[in-house]
């Protein structure tokens, strides 16, 4: 490697490091300067609650705003979060979160959690079955691609066809399960 290439390489690495550092640092801030200065802590709490953020999210906001000498109104934030969490912890939202494969951070209060979790788990079953079908379809596509190649040997072709048939049978069973789960879904969103 000559000196010019080495210098270009070092500059590229330095640029990558600077960009990575700025992305990492900006990812830590939950609120911008403007949001801190204009903060409606009730509204911020309500949005965080409706998004399923944990109570500790206020600590993140405090960290973000402390450099601007702005400190959250804890009481207003938690009042808003309590209202927002009622929106998040509904059975309909639980189903939506589960069926999209989202993570549940155990933020629902005891009186709302059972209904939320029942619907979340039902949605998660649907998500898992859809994912298995998609994974099987990708495997079938990969196998069919291998099967279409001229260099694939005859004995391998036989194995591929058997694998495709097996994946197809599994998909039929999974589609039946998916139909059953969707038909028995009382948590539509």
């Amino acid at each position: 490697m000559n000196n010019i290439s080495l210098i270009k390489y070092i500059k590229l690495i330095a640029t990558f490091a600077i960009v990575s550092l700025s992305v990492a640092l900006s990812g830590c801030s939950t609120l911008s300067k403007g949001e801190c200065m204009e903060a409606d802590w009730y509204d911020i709490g309500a949005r965080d609650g409706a998004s399923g953020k944990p109570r500790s999210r206020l600590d993140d906001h405090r960290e973000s705003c402390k450099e601007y000498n702005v400190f959250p109104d804890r009481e207003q934030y938690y009042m808003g979060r309590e209202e927002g969490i009622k929106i998040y912890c509904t059975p309909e939202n639980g189903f939506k979160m589960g069926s999209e494969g989202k993570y549940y951070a155990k933020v629902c209060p005891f009186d709302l959690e059972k209904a939320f979790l029942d619907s979340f788990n039902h949605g998660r079953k649907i998500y898992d079955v859809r994912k298995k079908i998609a994974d099987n379809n990708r495997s079938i596509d990969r196998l069919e691609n291998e099967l279409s190649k001229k260099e694939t040997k005859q004995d391998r072709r036989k194995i591929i066809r058997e694998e495709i048939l097996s994946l197809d049978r599994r998909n039929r069973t999974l589609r039946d399960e998916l139909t059953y789960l969707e038909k028995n879904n009382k948590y539509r969103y």
Side-chain angles (χ1 to χ4, degrees), residues 14-144:
T15 302
F16 177 77
I18 290 169
V19 169
S20 296
L21 182 62
S22 65
V23 167
L25 290 175
S26 69
C28 296
S29 181
T30 60
L31 298 172
S32 68
K33 179 180 181 179
E35 289 169 317
C36 290
M37 303 303 276
E38 306 283 324
D40 174 345
W41 291 105
Y42 181 92
D43 184 58
I44 293 170
R47 282 186 281 137
D48 284 353
S51 299
K53 302 286 187 225
R55 289 176 59 87
S56 62
R57 182 72 167 182
L58 181 61
D59 297 332
D60 299 334
H61 295 323
R62 183 179 298 113
E63 259 325 288
S64 291
C65 294
K66 120 174 134 176
E67 69 180 283
Y68 311 116
N69 283 332
V70 174
F71 300 95
D73 182 330
R74 183 182 198 91
E75 186 177 328
Q76 285 295 305
Y77 177 85
Y78 286 132
M79 283 172 48
R81 186 182 174 283
E82 195 172 307
E83 289 304 309
I85 211 77
K86 291 175 188 172
I87 294 167
Y88 179 82
C89 295
T90 62
E92 294 78 16
N93 191 52
F95 175 77
K96 180 179 185 290
M97 299 293 292
S99 66
E100 292 174 357
K102 302 271 173 76
Y103 173 76
Y104 170 55
K106 300 180 183 357
V107 296
C108 295
F110 181 76
D111 61 321
L112 301 176
E113 190 168 51
K114 182 179 179 347
F116 177 88
L117 278 176
D118 286 348
S119 61
F120 178 86
N121 290 332
H122 188 86
R124 190 55 185 239
K125 287 177 188 171
I126 290 173
Y127 172 82
D128 290 342
V129 170
R130 286 179 179 157
K131 185 176 181 327
K132 287 175 189 173
I133 292 169
D135 291 346
N136 287 347
N137 285 337
R138 277 191 293 282
S139 294
I140 289 170
D141 288 346
R142 181 184 48 77
L143 290 166
E144 286 176 342

Side-chain angles (χ1 to χ4, degrees), residues 1 36 45 48 147 154 178:
M1 187 180 275
C36 290
D48 284 353
L147 193 59
Q154 198 59 38
L178 182 60

Side-chain angles (χ1 to χ4, degrees), residues 137-159:
N137 285 337
R138 277 191 293 282
S139 294
I140 289 170
D141 288 346
R142 181 184 48 77
L143 290 166
E144 286 176 342
N145 185 40
E146 185 181 348
L147 193 59
S148 71
K149 294 180 180 175
K150 290 179 184 176
E151 63 269 11
T152 304
K153 302 231 183 287
Q154 198 59 38
D155 56 335
R156 176 67 184 142
R157 288 177 181 279
K158 182 180 179 188
I159 293 169

